[in-house]
Amino acid sequence: MSSVDSQQRVLSGMRPTGKLHLGHYHGVLKNWVKLQHEFECFFFVADWHALTTNYDDPTGIQESVWDMTIDWLAAGVNPGSATLFIQSKVPEHAELHLLLSMITPLGWLERVPTYKDQQEKLREKDLATYGFLGYPLLQSADILMYRAGRVPVGADQVSHIEITREVARRFNHLYGREPGFEEQAESAIVKMGKKNARLYRTLKRRYQEEGDMEALDTARALLKEQQNISLGDRERLYGYIEGGGKVILPEPQALLTPDSKMPGLDGLKMSKSYGNFIGLRENQDSVSRKIRTMQTDPQRVRRTDPGEPEKCPVWGLHKVYSDEPTREWVQTGCRSAGIGCLDCKKPLIDAVIEEQKPIRDRAREYEDNPDLVNSIIEEGCEQARDAARDTLDEVREAMGLRYR
Ligand code: TRP
Ligand code: SF4
């Protein structure tokens, strides 16, 4: 079994909701593209999650899965660097979800803020289902399955990472304390050699008695370097620093995705449901038309009326796309009626189309080659299943289910 460095592992997922737009690109995808070079990344299409709210009408999920995968690839998520997969093709997620459900108090799920919020928001749907209540735990299973230390999510998902940490802690507490844990940990310390053993004990004491976080980090780094101890011993010693049992499922941390600065065509947040979006790989004519017909400062009725950029959604786009001199030109030209609104929009149209060019080119390659997309997904699912099986083996063993 391979050893997992959970601090190096990133996992994130997205529900398949159809084609993505520039808001997703500036918010989520650019971040993923950056992370894939820094960490071992797993990105997956959360199709079961889509069913938790759309069980009554699953048409479209399949097509959305396809479109979204192409969008990711087009945006520059690279299957050579990151593992891309589809949740339902790694059914191990269902087993881990079930096993974790045994130890998850109902109250924890009922108290997740999104539970009540979403029920309020989606009033027209009957969300009094078992699947909907359990969906944050399904997300916990997604994360813990890969022992991912970092999970890029938006602010609305932070409570789901929090419950995941609680579930992991409870799991380790219940099942990480095998009989004779302390004796085993103590003899593992000795195996590291005199010098390292002394250092480990000092760091452990500094963390436990003084709450010294640096000592915790140093101790973890020390364990990572050890060649003489088994994987099991290493996990014991990770847990032992903190005074707990063996860490079977490490607690993840939310990597908060900065709020997308990308406004929609009406100045509100870009969103599919508001109909104010520009598609990630929308064609050029349509992009140009959407920007040309954007509302501007309502006070600026005639070309000769001066305007105020702060009251104009077009200015919001300049803040994302334009350099300083262009912004100066907009501010001065608008306030003095020196430029017309179409003049003002022109550099934006060019900038958006320019940004989308490599995206559109890559997308075309994949659209024309479905076999390639399929093989990327197949391979990603295989890799994900390998990692998932490693975790499940340990989880089953810890829970006393080792008779297969
Ligand atoms: N629940 C997330 C959303 O609705 C998607 C998701 C499912 C996810 N599983 C995840 C995100 C695991 C991060 C990690 O956006
Ligand atoms: Fe908006 Fe530009 Fe027209 Fe001013 S000139 S109102 S910023 S579109």
Side-chain angles (χ1 to χ4, degrees):
M1 189 196 308
S2 58
S3 156
V4 172
D5 181 357
S6 76
Q7 284 313 305
Q8 280 305 111
R9 278 222 178 150
V10 164
L11 172 123
S12 199
M14 241 192 247
R15 288 177 176 224
T17 52
K19 287 199 172 128
L20 301 181
H21 52 63
L22 288 179
H24 297 111
Y25 180 65
H26 285 272
V28 181
L29 292 175
K30 265 169 47 183
N31 191 36
W32 284 12
V33 169
K34 179 164 107 1
L35 289 168
Q36 72 185 352
H37 302 298
E38 298 164 12
F39 299 100
E40 185 189 357
C41 289
F42 291 81
F43 299 129
F44 77 103
V45 182
D47 56 345
W48 281 342
H49 285 264
L51 277 179
T52 62
T53 48
N54 286 35
Y55 60 87
D56 56 344
D57 182 19
T59 50
I61 292 184
Q62 197 174 344
E63 200 182 320
S64 294
V65 170
W66 187 256
D67 284 338
M68 205 163 85
T69 308
I70 293 183
D71 282 338
W72 291 0
L73 294 166
V77 178
N78 177 355
S81 315
T83 302
L84 308 184
F85 67 98
I86 297 171
Q87 184 180 35
S88 66
K89 293 189 122 212
V90 185
E92 282 79 2
H93 287 231
E95 183 177 341
L96 186 58
H97 178 211
L98 174 114
L99 293 175
L100 295 177
S101 78
M102 304 299 171
I103 65 162
T104 305
L106 264 185
W108 289 10
L109 290 168
E110 287 161 346
R111 277 196 296 274
V112 175
T114 50
Y115 179 57
K116 293 240 157 58
D117 290 355
Q118 289 293 100
Q119 281 188 334
E120 290 278 310
K121 228 167 130 187
L122 304 172
R123 267 257 160 81
E124 73 286 1
K125 290 195 174 157
D126 178 6
L127 293 182
T129 58
Y130 182 54
F132 184 70
L133 175 67
Y135 122 78
L137 187 65
L138 179 58
Q139 184 162 355
S140 303
D142 300 336
I143 297 166
L144 298 175
M145 186 65 102
Y146 301 94
R147 292 182 265 202
R150 303 166 199 254
V151 185
V153 285
D156 60 321
Q157 298 281 312
V158 170
S159 60
H160 298 171
I161 309 306
E162 205 40 57
I163 190 175
T164 303
R165 295 167 61 82
E166 280 166 20
V167 170
R169 210 173 302 146
R170 185 164 164 89
F171 186 95
N172 295 329
H173 180 77
L174 286 169
Y175 307 115
R177 284 190 177 273
E178 14 164 38
F181 173 75
E182 304 224 334
E183 291 75 8
Q184 290 195 54
E186 285 296 332
S187 68
I189 295 179
V190 175
K191 286 183 206 149
M192 292 196 290
K194 244 194 186 135
K195 202 169 123 246
N196 287 332
R198 193 176 324 115
L199 180 56
Y200 176 87
R201 288 207 167 89
T202 312
L203 293 166
K204 174 171 178 286
R205 195 178 56 242
R206 266 180 32 211
Y207 174 68
Q208 287 192 358
E209 291 174 11
E210 297 154 37
D212 182 341
M213 294 305 285
E214 228 179 279
L216 177 63
D217 286 343
T218 315
R220 284 187 177 146
L222 173 73
L223 290 177
K224 208 170 123 184
E225 285 166 10
Q226 298 309 307
Q227 311 281 330
N228 296 341
I229 56 176
S230 68
L231 178 63
D233 275 345
R234 197 193 314 258
E235 285 171 352
R236 271 177 206 105
L237 292 183
Y238 273 128
Y240 198 48
I241 316 172
E242 294 170 76
K246 191 168 157 182
V247 176
I248 302 165
L249 299 175
E251 291 177 36
Q253 250 160 11
L255 261 189
L256 205 59
T257 307
D259 247 350
S260 164
K261 296 278 182 303
M262 185 70 196
L265 295 166
D266 53 3
L268 300 173
K269 184 184 157 81
M270 187 176 280
S271 153
K272 201 176 160 207
S273 52
Y274 299 161
N276 62 356
F277 63 90
I278 298 176
L280 183 69
R281 44 191 161 107
E282 192 158 330
N283 76 59
Q284 304 192 13
D285 290 344
S286 168
V287 170
S288 162
R289 186 170 353 100
K290 279 187 177 173
I291 297 178
R292 267 189 283 115
T293 54
M294 272 176 80
Q295 293 292 334
T296 59
D297 175 1
Q299 308 281 318
R300 201 169 180 207
V301 184
R302 279 173 293 266
R303 166 70 176 79
T304 47
D305 296 335
E308 174 48 55
E310 295 300 339
K311 294 185 181 147
C312 176
V314 176
W315 174 238
L317 289 183
H318 276 293
K319 286 194 204 158
V320 176
Y321 285 98
S322 299
D323 57 13
E324 200 44 48
T326 311
R327 293 191 208 180
E328 267 302 316
W329 170 78
V330 171
Q331 299 243 7
T332 323
C334 178
R335 291 180 178 135
S336 64
I339 59 170
C341 291
L342 274 180
D343 304 325
C344 177
K345 290 169 172 178
K346 179 80 175 63
L348 278 179
I349 296 173
D350 294 344
V352 173
I353 288 177
E354 175 74 20
E355 173 179 67
Q356 287 177 318
K357 186 172 185 320
I359 298 177
R360 230 181 279 109
D361 289 349
R362 266 195 302 264
R364 194 158 316 119
E365 231 174 278
Y366 292 110
E367 285 161 358
D368 294 344
N369 199 347
D371 285 348
L372 175 61
V373 180
N374 268 324
S375 73
I376 289 170
I377 296 175
E378 283 304 322
E379 205 169 298
C381 291
E382 244 347 284
Q383 280 173 21
R385 288 192 81 168
D386 284 344
R389 284 195 199 106
D390 283 348
T391 305
L392 264 182
D393 279 347
E394 277 198 55
V395 166
R396 286 190 200 115
E397 166 148 17
M399 292 182 88
L401 303 166
R402 187 73 202 238
Y403 28 71
R404 344 174 140 226

